[in-house]
Amino acid sequence: MLDGKKVLFSGMQATGNITLGNYMGALKNWIDLNNDDSYQCFNCVVDLHSLTVRQDPAELRKRARTLLSLYIAAGLDPVKNCIYYQSHVSGHAELSWILNCFTYMGELSRMTQFKDKSAKHADNINAGLFTYPVLMAADILLFQTDVVPVGADQKQHLEITRDIAERFNGVYGDVFTIPEPYIGKVGAKIMSLQEPDKKMSKSDENVNATIYLMDDPDTVIRKFKRAVTDSDNEIRYTDEKPGIKNLIDIYSAVTNKTAGEVEREFDGKGYGDFKLAVGEAVNSVLVPIHQRMDELSKDKAYIDGIIKENSDKANYFATKTLRKVQKKIGLPERVR
Ligand code: ATP
Ligand code: LTN
């Protein structure tokens, strides 16, 4: 708790272009949860995590700034929310080192994301890729976080975060708040438009598989028209029709309608009509974000101000937890 409010923490990597999956599984929930004012929110651009895959320096810097602006363009209020870069708060890396010493090799080697990413980047299986979940645990525990809104693929990382925190608290008393994941009911796992049994991913080589948040309206419509479905032309929410199920999920997430309501709305209509409706619904969300991004790109001073103010704020809270941890484990106190 912070100032009587629950703490919400979440982050996104500054790697690749943000997708509709990132928006529906994560960003949208950050915005919705903050609307009722009952949370103190920290929304981080986890640029240190991005380093686990080789990055072009100029590109990484640009993407990190675009992502931070996108948080605001999508509707996060930079006054209510602490929107900042992970690399501007050194406590993340410091706590991560300490937590590394409370994490077992065995538990890290069970992480499916590590297995997937090391298969994908076989030429660069670095130690950072392996300890990635420990840095994520540090992000979360540094702010005494109560709730972490993420997509379904991050559930395992939340579990290890809780295990590390409980292990630490077991030795030193109640130092860390034990966080809960928040995984939305709709949109927690948006699938590829081309291979609907695979998660929609930033790094998919087939650009038609992924809707990027910055795709223009015509591209969005074209990608939905080409989405892989099946041949029976019936709009029904079932695991046997993964392509249509995914499109219903996307439509539900945008319109707040249930799967049943969507089935009834499109009863008797064909896939062509439905795909067009999904594309138009998605565009109704994306177009205002594009307009706001355009405005923000012209206001460098405004974004700079947010970066400065929020990193000071995040540093203040992070340092509080870090000092407590350092004291508990026996590191020498600072002399003033
Ligand atoms: P990659 O696709 O390259 O593996 P990523 O998009 O999963 O990267 P992040 O940017 O760190 O990696 O993800 C940010 C957030 O978006 C996380 O909370 C994650 O769970 C969520 N997310 C990512 N893809 C999807 C998806 N297809 N559906 C729902 N949520 C998603
Ligand atoms: N691993 C996350 C990104 C991430 C994160 C966090 C999410 C890093 N630190 C802390 C929530 C809270 C991913 O989505 N790939």
Side-chain angles (χ1 to χ4, degrees), residues 157-331:
H157 285 164
L158 257 295
E159 277 158 15
I160 193 173
T161 300
R162 289 167 58 92
D163 290 344
I164 296 169
E166 277 165 4
R167 188 172 302 142
F168 192 97
N169 285 357
V171 182
Y172 300 104
D174 280 343
V175 176
F176 294 124
T177 302
I178 308 297
E180 296 282 345
Y182 176 95
I183 297 171
K185 283 187 198 69
V186 279
K189 196 167 185 193
I190 300 298
M191 310 308 274
S192 152
L193 297 186
Q194 291 298 315
E195 292 168 84
D197 51 343
K198 254 179 53 186
K199 163 186 117 140
M200 182 180 282
S201 169
K202 281 172 183 161
S203 40
D204 204 311
E205 272 153 28
N206 183 350
V207 292
N208 288 322
T210 304
I211 302 282
Y212 297 103
L213 235 52
M214 296 311 289
D215 275 346
D216 64 70
D218 290 344
T219 306
V220 170
I221 299 288
R222 183 171 40 79
K223 287 184 180 176
F224 277 113
K225 276 190 180 158
R226 288 192 191 163
V228 168
T229 48
D230 49 68
S231 54
D232 76 9
N233 223 23
E234 190 192 351
I235 293 135
R236 203 155 44 81
Y237 193 76
T238 159
D239 288 339
E240 284 146 37
K241 297 160 79 71
I244 287 296
K245 184 169 183 255
N246 189 37
L247 295 182
I248 295 180
D249 274 333
I250 294 172
Y251 192 71
S252 294
V254 178
T255 59
N256 290 323
K257 291 177 184 164
T258 63
E261 284 167 345
V262 181
E263 283 177 345
R264 281 191 291 284
E265 184 178 342
F266 292 94
D267 188 23
K269 299 214 173 96
Y271 286 176
D273 289 345
F274 180 51
K275 286 176 170 179
L276 185 63
V278 179
E280 282 171 351
V282 167
N283 277 335
S284 73
V285 172
L286 300 195
V287 170
I289 297 179
H290 296 172
Q291 284 162 352
R292 187 91 184 98
M293 273 302 270
D294 200 38
E295 287 159 25
L296 289 172
S297 71
K298 292 177 193 133
D299 203 346
K300 184 173 180 300
Y302 173 70
I303 299 288
D304 284 348
I306 287 166
I307 292 171
K308 165 88 184 70
E309 240 170 67
N310 283 336
S311 62
D312 289 349
K313 186 172 165 191
N315 259 306
Y316 171 79
F317 292 112
T319 306
K320 262 172 98 166
T321 303
L322 192 63
R323 293 289 174 266
K324 191 169 163 189
V325 170
Q326 289 166 332
K327 192 170 173 192
K328 286 279 183 189
I329 58 178
L331 294 174

Side-chain angles (χ1 to χ4, degrees), residues 102-119:
F102 290 83
T103 309
Y104 298 114
M105 302 285 282
E107 53 191 350
L108 288 175
S109 42
R110 284 195 292 275
M111 295 293 115
T112 49
Q113 184 172 301
F114 171 68
K115 290 188 220 165
D116 292 350
K117 297 244 156 153
S118 43

